Amino acid sequence: MTGTAEAADSVPAATLHGHAVTIQRTEYGIPHISAGNYGDLGYGYGYAFAQDNFCELADRVLTLRGERSRYFGPDALNDDALGETADNLSSDTYFQGIRQAGTVRRLVAQPAPYGPTAQVKQMVDGYVAGVNRYLGDTGVAGLPDPTCRGKAWVGPITASDIWTGILDLDQVAGTSGVKKFVGDAAPPTAAGAAVSIGSALGSVSTPTGPAPGGVPALPTSAGGLGSNGWALGRDATSAHDAMVLGNPHLPWLGNARLYQVQLTIPGVMDVSGVSIYGTPVVVLGHTQNLAWTQTTSYASHAEFYRLTLAPGDPTSYLVDGKKVAMAKRTVRVSVLGADGKQKTVTRTLYDSRYGPVLGYGWDAGSALSIRDANAENIRSMNEWLAMDSAQSLGQLRAVQRTYQGMPWTYTTAADAGGSVYFTDSSIVPDLTDAQLTRCTLPADAGPPALDGSTRACDWGDDPTALEPGVYGPAHAPALTRSDYVANSNNDPALANPSAPLTGYPAVYGTTTQLFPRPQLGLRMIADRLTGADGLGKPGFTLASLQATTLGDRDLSGEFGRDDAVAMCRAHPVLTASDGKQIDVRAACDALAAWDLHGGATSRGAVLWAAFFDPLLETTNGAWARVPFDPAHPLTTPSGVNGDNPQVRTALADAVESLAAQGLPPDVATGEAYRWAGVPLHGCTDDSGCFNVLTAQPTSGTAGGLDLSPANYAAGSTFIMAVELTPAGPRTRTVLTYSESTNPKSPHYADQTALFSKKQWVTERFTPAEIKAAPGLQTTVLRR
């Protein structure tokens, strides 16, 4: 690829033809990219993204090629913050298996809508060319980010790399979440005793960083990926304009990060929002007349199947009494040895009729396999790119019906007409309620699994679905209103409590009890609509939406702090789990003085989270003074039962835990939670904080490629408040961790400083607004 990069103060629209691409950077380095066609637009996007995050992308490509062990050894951890952190050898085995099977090549070759549209292909190919153009311009030795400058593992990327990343992204709620146990699978005769499922179960991440080694709970369950999404209609706003709040909660490191961008093809597409790293489409944002956001769906997007193995043959299984041999694929991984020399490790991957066989719980009698509804899905890119041009809810629905590619998220949207919309249009297994009841095996010590010994437990074949085995659009929960719809990772039923959704298949979610965060979100909306929140007259304005979002209320503290203080006043010395006697008087004073918020200067939120969060997982609901009542889902459970010995132990453990970290009981949130030294605000998901945040005092100080617990943070990422007015969108945003992963970049933590002060960026959307930006930087690329 040849060409030159030119700096200019402004570029007339007439030049946006042929192969001219314009990148205009406004405050905080936010790029606004314009081109005359999709390929050139992708080219400009790839170049701009590489300027900010080339090392992060190069590191991700190394994972997607299955080559981490070659450079970093087999035992180090991969860079996956969104799916599952795994040891390099298992990760490399998994991705080498995908490459050897030709999965990506086959999916890309399919005609649309199954495979990518011509426009999406052009975007991806252009993106790759733009990234490589940047690398060619700078050279490996001249990269500004020291984390990959001059490294042997850095080089040009390919379209196959990007498509592999897209496939992996689409499978986050399924196979990608258990890739470690796909990569290290081996029958018991070859590997000895199988790993116990019970001992292997774990979580994708912890408040202090990724937790490798355990089988993660797929992100469709509590404790997985999170977000808040609101759409406020004409009946809920003061000006009767629709508004959308987007507030995804994701890790602040690795492939989970979001990149803020505006993409424009004059007369064709003009969209502003964020992309997931390594993808050239906006997945959450707005056009002139439509805004939308995404939250993690509670539907099932993958199912475990328990295989009944053939007697004496651990690599064959029985289906309706007939023996079926597992498919096998041998892969070879180049591994850096302790002596500094390369060696080749050979592993075998196993597949059943349902999908990959996992390497835990595999014994002489049974094994576990996973069937992923997104196993053949890369058409998510078709859907997102088409959404990037949509201008109404009707067009949005048409896009989702056409491509049926949303992998694992709800969609919450509004248009300039003042209507709002919520749906779970994600790809969900076609399993009837009767099948789930009949086919779900006893969990024992492991995850719920379906009976893999009979075809009666196979997925159905909905004729309205693009592919067999999944539900078509008619089954998806959906709600259109003129007041509001909201989701904070609760199942679809209470998108609006005034109009509960019913009648959808149980595989989309059956949880009626709300966790504290979705409870708080719905309460916040109700308080604003009545004016009870003290933010002015009833009804949302853009300013009150911003203030509500970053209010840092802690719901469990509101309903339980006083009970906890009464408990510790009555029992100033409590027994911790390790049997130690803990003096909790200072902690009790801290809780009594706490302002019940997670502000940067609030003292008590960190202690409260350390106390309350474990109660949700260890007491089976017995922590509550008032138990859950299905008739009152917004207000129960509530209170804290200080008579419960587990509750008392939890407070002693919390005080002991903070002391072990060198933190006093009254540590301020901004002292415990920092990013690159910037004090943060927010509180934890389990405690019922809307603005979710967890971090360490040292988070963000080691650069973007370090996923260690001391560098880890997670929670609110891109926050968007947009009002769709007759004069066009009015938008306020903040990208909490900023645009660049390069610790030497001026845009490594500049928006973090804004977020710390609860300040926002006034978005520049129109050409005039962009041109008026102080310090505007313009680059023209010619291919």
Side-chain angles (χ1 to χ4, degrees):
M1 190 68 62
T2 61
T4 59
E6 306 170 1
D9 293 329
S10 63
V11 179
T15 66
L16 299 178
H17 65 277
H19 296 286
V21 184
T22 301
I23 304 171
Q24 296 173 290
R25 288 189 182 265
T26 55
E27 298 97 322
Y28 307 99
I30 298 170
H32 307 257
I33 303 166
S34 299
N37 57 64
Y38 288 98
D40 290 349
L41 188 64
Y43 185 78
Y45 192 2
Y47 192 92
F49 181 80
Q51 287 178 308
D52 292 321
N53 298 294
F54 180 83
C55 287
E56 183 66 52
L57 181 60
D59 186 69
R60 181 64 178 156
V61 164
L62 200 65
T63 299
L64 298 170
R65 291 178 178 177
E67 295 181 348
R68 298 194 69 84
S69 298
R70 176 181 176 185
Y71 295 97
F72 306 131
D75 300 323
L77 301 180
N78 72 359
D79 68 341
D80 201 335
L82 192 58
E84 184 207 6
T85 303
D87 63 277
N88 283 342
L89 181 56
S90 296
S91 175
D92 289 345
T93 302
Y94 175 84
F95 282 110
Q96 288 284 0
I98 292 174
R99 290 169 65 87
Q100 187 181 99
T103 303
V104 169
R105 183 173 61 252
R106 175 175 56 81
L107 294 177
V108 172
Q110 292 183 115
Y114 307 97
T117 63
Q119 293 87 349
V120 168
K121 283 185 178 180
Q122 292 161 16
M123 285 288 286
V124 170
D125 290 345
Y127 183 86
V128 168
V131 170
N132 291 337
R133 161 74 180 276
Y134 171 78
L135 181 61
D137 285 352
T138 60
V140 175
L143 290 168
D145 189 340
T147 55
C148 74
R149 183 191 302 138
K151 302 297 185 182
W153 47 270
V154 174
I157 69 171
T158 68
S160 179
D161 297 327
I162 298 301
W163 284 114
T164 303
I166 290 165
L167 180 65
D168 191 55
L169 167 67
D170 287 353
Q171 295 178 0
V172 159
T175 312
S176 179
V178 290
K179 62 169 64 77
K180 168 180 170 51
F181 295 96
V182 174
D184 68 6
T189 53
V195 176
S196 164
I197 298 176
S199 64
L201 285 174
S203 170
V204 174
S205 62
T206 71
T208 57
V215 176
L218 299 179
T220 51
S221 64
L225 307 175
S227 300
N228 300 310
W230 293 355
L232 307 168
R234 56 184 176 270
D235 295 339
T237 64
S238 295
H240 306 296
D241 297 323
M243 297 181 183
V244 167
L245 170 69
N247 178 210
H249 302 154
L250 295 165
W252 284 26
L253 294 162
N255 60 310
R257 282 175 59 114
L258 301 170
Y259 187 72
Q260 187 173 359
V261 68
Q262 182 176 0
L263 301 174
T264 304
I265 301 175
V268 176
M269 181 175 76
D270 195 6
V271 62
S272 184
V274 287
S275 303
I276 297 174
Y277 274 28
T279 65
V281 296
V282 168
V283 300
L284 181 166
H286 69 87
T287 61
Q288 178 75 10
N289 298 303
L290 177 75
W292 73 95
T293 189
Q294 314 273 324
T295 53
T296 303
S297 164
Y298 261 42
S300 170
H301 300 98
E303 294 286 348
F304 291 118
Y305 276 87
R306 172 65 62 188
L307 307 178
T308 299
L309 300 182
D313 183 358
T315 61
S316 294
Y317 56 100
L318 301 177
V319 179
D320 293 334
K322 296 181 179 180
K323 183 176 178 179
V324 180
M326 294 179 186
K328 302 177 185 178
R329 183 180 302 112
T330 300
V331 300
R332 294 173 176 81
V333 177
S334 181
V335 174
L336 179 66
D339 58 2
K341 296 180 180 180
Q342 294 289 330
K343 64 178 180 178
T344 299
V345 173
T346 300
R347 279 187 169 182
T348 302
L349 296 173
Y350 298 85
D351 281 281
S352 75
R353 65 191 297 268
Y354 306 104
V357 178
L358 309 185
Y360 70 96
W362 192 347
D363 57 31
S366 65
L368 210 60
S369 183
I370 185 171
R371 183 172 181 186
D372 192 337
N374 286 288
E376 300 281 289
N377 181 27
I378 58 171
R379 60 186 182 275
S380 59
M381 295 290 287
N382 296 341
E383 186 160 325
W384 275 316
L385 186 60
M387 288 170 63
D388 290 348
S389 296
Q391 297 293 335
S392 68
L393 292 178
Q395 291 178 5
L396 172 64
R397 294 187 193 97
V399 165
Q400 294 187 324
R401 287 194 302 268
T402 299
Y403 296 109
Q404 300 178 28
M406 195 60 64
W408 41 268
T409 59
Y410 300 126
T411 300
T412 303
D415 65 16
S419 294
V420 297
Y421 178 62
F422 167 84
T423 186
D424 187 351
S425 66
S426 62
I427 303 177
V428 173
D430 184 349
L431 285 165
T432 66
D433 295 3
Q435 278 182 299
L436 288 177
T437 299
R438 182 178 69 251
C439 295
T440 301
L441 299 174
D444 298 324
L450 302 183
D451 186 354
S453 70
T454 172
R455 286 182 170 83
C457 297
D458 284 359
W459 298 359
D461 189 6
D462 185 339
T464 68
L466 276 182
E467 61 177 318
V470 301
Y471 276 124
H475 292 277
L479 183 63
T480 301
R481 303 277 296 177
S482 58
D483 52 359
Y484 72 90
V485 290
N487 184 266
S488 292
N489 307 118
N490 43 298
D491 79 13
L494 295 180
N496 185 309
S498 298
L501 284 166
T502 60
Y504 50 85
V507 72
Y508 281 94
T510 59
T511 303
T512 56
Q513 181 174 343
L514 295 176
F515 285 92
R517 177 166 57 88
Q519 273 190 340
L520 176 60
L522 292 171
R523 288 190 187 190
M524 286 160 53
I525 293 174
D527 289 348
R528 180 79 297 271
L529 295 184
T530 62
D533 57 6
L535 294 176
K537 295 179 180 180
F540 280 93
T541 63
L542 193 57
S544 64
L545 177 57
Q546 293 172 253
T548 301
T549 301
L550 296 185
D552 291 328
R553 286 176 60 181
D554 191 313
L555 182 62
S556 64
E558 292 178 11
F559 66 57
R561 187 272 305 272
D562 291 348
D563 288 342
V565 170
M567 173 191 71
C568 59
R569 293 286 193 230
H571 304 280
V573 177
L574 296 173
T575 304
S577 295
D578 60 8
K580 293 182 180 178
Q581 298 296 296
I582 306 298
D583 186 332
V584 298
R585 286 176 295 177
C588 204
D589 291 341
L591 290 178
W594 177 33
D595 64 7
L596 301 179
H597 289 72
T601 60
S602 295
R603 296 185 177 275
V606 176
L607 171 62
W608 181 261
F611 159 62
F612 184 81
D613 291 9
L615 294 179
L616 294 182
E617 300 180 6
T618 60
T619 63
N620 195 29
W623 58 267
R625 181 170 47 81
V626 179
F628 172 66
D629 182 350
H632 301 283
L634 301 186
T635 56
T636 62
S638 68
V640 168
N641 181 9
D643 295 330
N644 187 324
Q646 290 177 295
V647 172
R648 297 180 185 180
T649 297
L651 182 57
D653 288 347
V655 175
E656 188 177 40
S657 173
L658 291 185
Q661 300 173 60
L663 300 176
D666 66 344
V667 61
T669 303
E671 295 170 3
Y673 298 163
R674 292 177 178 265
W675 180 259
V678 178
L680 304 175
H681 58 93
C683 35
T684 63
D685 190 347
D686 285 348
S687 68
C689 200
F690 195 72
N691 173 36
V692 170
L693 192 75
T694 57
Q696 299 297 306
T698 54
S699 295
T701 59
L705 301 187
D706 188 338
L707 270 68
S708 65
N711 201 49
Y712 187 82
S716 290
T717 52
F718 176 68
I719 310 176
M720 176 187 74
V722 55
E723 180 179 11
L724 299 169
T725 78
R730 296 174 59 235
T731 309
R732 306 293 183 264
T733 67
V734 62
L735 186 64
T736 57
Y737 39 62
S738 310
E739 286 279 49
S740 179
T741 51
N742 175 8
K744 301 298 184 181
S745 169
H747 306 305
Y748 180 69
D750 54 349
Q751 288 198 60
T752 313
L754 277 185
F755 174 68
S756 176
K757 299 173 183 177
K758 299 191 179 183
Q759 296 175 351
W760 301 64
V761 178
T762 297
E763 182 188 78
R764 298 183 182 274
F765 185 68
T766 68
E769 290 169 344
I770 294 168
K771 186 176 180 179
L776 178 67
Q777 296 179 338
T778 302
T779 301
V780 179
L781 300 175
R782 301 188 185 279
R783 298 178 69 182

